[in-house]
Amino acid sequence: MKFPTHSLKNEKIEKNNLTESRNLFRKLWINGKGCPKGTVPIRKYTKDAFIHAKLFQESYSTSSAHPNDWNENIAVAFGQVGGERYNGGGVTFGVYNFPIKDNQYSFSQLSIARLPDFLRTGWTIGDKSCYNLLCASFVVLRPDIPVDGILQPRTDGPREMQFIIGRTSGAQWYVQLETAIVGFWPPDLFSGLADLADAVEWGGAVLTVNGEPGPGMGAGWRPVSDSISDGYGRFVSVIDDQNNVVQAGALAVYRSDNVYEFHDLGFVRDNGHLIYYGGPGHQ
């Protein structure tokens, strides 16, 4: 199986971020390297974790591509392109950490969809078990990058990480972090995404269960177009039907709650297509 490696950034930024990413994940391992050759990291789960994951999956089982399917436990602020055929998409997110309560979840995510199927990747605040390996059939490839690894916050602004969902010529949908392919979904899992995607989305979502109020999204406050303090995504791009990485066009914006915002700035020098999103939630 051969996976292409897409780059959505220039060479200098790519190398700097990749070095930072390797240093970050190296801290997770006693040996500084990862699992032994031929093995991959898999988290050990308790019975309670499986029960919690089932509740999570039941609450968050719809695609944000269809606003009419949202329930009262979910709020979103995202931009979407559609109407074409896509081999995937990518973005470089700023990664933040802010306090939330039990039974609250906050996501910054890249999504692709052809209903009834959709795939998502990104970063999360909250217990995210089902969002990762408790969901069936994702095949992990990397011995040194855990899919649900915990990111350590920085004190000098947000950490940046590049996320890509792409598709091989053999129809395997894969997740790429920086320049590393971390895993893939076998093609026989899908009906809609047995073909190319017809929608790509970037932005934020929050989920609550057991009646908790909605938490913060993005950086945890309303964006003011400042990449040091706002939730943002740079190099918002799609992979077209010819497997070319191209800047995303104008985005259709969806918001389900006025406490969360989404700003599409289009092309901004040194940032590619730039978005800001987020909000304080109902704390």
Side-chain angles (χ1 to χ4, degrees):
M1 180 174 7
K2 183 178 180 181
F3 292 92
T5 299
H6 295 288
S7 174
L8 306 184
K9 297 175 287 185
N10 64 55
E11 184 176 0
K12 182 178 180 181
I13 296 175
E14 178 181 297
K15 287 183 176 178
N16 288 342
N17 281 2
L18 181 58
T19 300
E20 179 183 348
S21 175
R22 286 175 173 167
N23 288 338
L24 172 67
F25 287 110
R26 187 177 296 129
K27 297 176 184 178
L28 298 175
W29 310 110
I30 295 175
N31 64 5
K33 297 179 180 179
C35 296
K37 185 177 181 179
T39 66
V40 296
I42 298 177
R43 184 183 294 274
K44 182 178 180 180
Y45 294 104
T46 64
K47 180 180 178 181
D48 286 345
F50 280 97
I51 294 173
H52 199 96
K54 185 175 186 296
L55 177 61
F56 181 102
Q57 188 175 26
E58 290 172 350
S59 299
Y60 196 39
S61 60
T62 64
S63 169
S64 56
H66 280 28
N68 291 336
D69 290 337
W70 299 330
N71 63 50
E72 67 274 12
N73 298 322
I74 299 172
V76 299
F78 67 88
Q80 180 191 90
V81 295
E84 304 290 340
R85 289 163 53 82
Y86 307 102
N87 271 301
V91 63
T92 296
F93 279 129
V95 180
Y96 293 87
N97 187 30
F98 49 85
I100 64 173
K101 301 177 182 178
D102 291 342
N103 296 318
Q104 291 182 330
Y105 307 83
S106 183
F107 309 95
S108 291
Q109 59 192 24
L110 158 70
S111 307
I112 66 162
R114 178 180 286 272
L115 296 182
D117 301 324
F118 59 93
L119 299 174
R120 295 186 174 114
T121 188
W123 61 274
T124 302
I125 300 176
D127 179 6
K128 62 218 178 297
S129 297
C130 179
Y131 206 61
N132 291 295
L133 297 180
L134 289 186
C135 297
S137 301
F138 184 79
V139 180
V140 179
L141 296 176
R142 295 283 303 202
D144 57 339
I145 302 178
V147 173
D148 51 1
I150 297 175
L151 302 173
Q152 300 301 316
R154 292 173 50 162
T155 59
D156 58 346
R159 183 178 301 280
E160 282 198 340
M161 301 203 82
Q162 180 191 54
F163 298 92
I164 297 172
I165 297 177
R167 187 174 186 265
T168 71
S169 58
Q172 287 102 349
W173 290 100
Y174 62 88
V175 172
Q176 181 174 324
L177 175 63
E178 302 292 347
T179 60
I181 304 292
V182 298
F184 70 98
W185 293 271
D188 58 2
L189 294 176
F190 304 114
S191 54
L193 285 175
D195 196 358
L196 302 190
D198 59 11
V200 187
E201 303 167 2
W202 305 262
V206 298
L207 168 71
T208 61
V209 294
N210 296 336
E212 287 288 346
M217 178 194 295
W221 49 74
R222 293 182 186 274
V224 292
S225 299
D226 179 358
S227 61
I228 299 299
S229 59
D230 289 347
Y232 68 88
R234 305 195 299 145
F235 304 102
V236 173
S237 304
V238 299
I239 306 172
D240 68 17
D241 59 356
Q242 300 300 310
N243 226 32
N244 300 309
V245 177
V246 296
Q247 177 181 295
L251 307 183
V253 175
Y254 299 92
R255 293 191 303 146
S256 62
D257 190 318
N258 287 333
V259 301
Y260 305 112
E261 297 183 9
F262 186 97
H263 302 162
D264 178 17
L265 275 69
F267 179 81
V268 176
R269 184 176 179 181
D270 298 327
N271 293 284
H273 193 140
L274 178 64
I275 60 174
Y276 290 107
Y277 62 95
H282 298 276
Q283 302 296 333

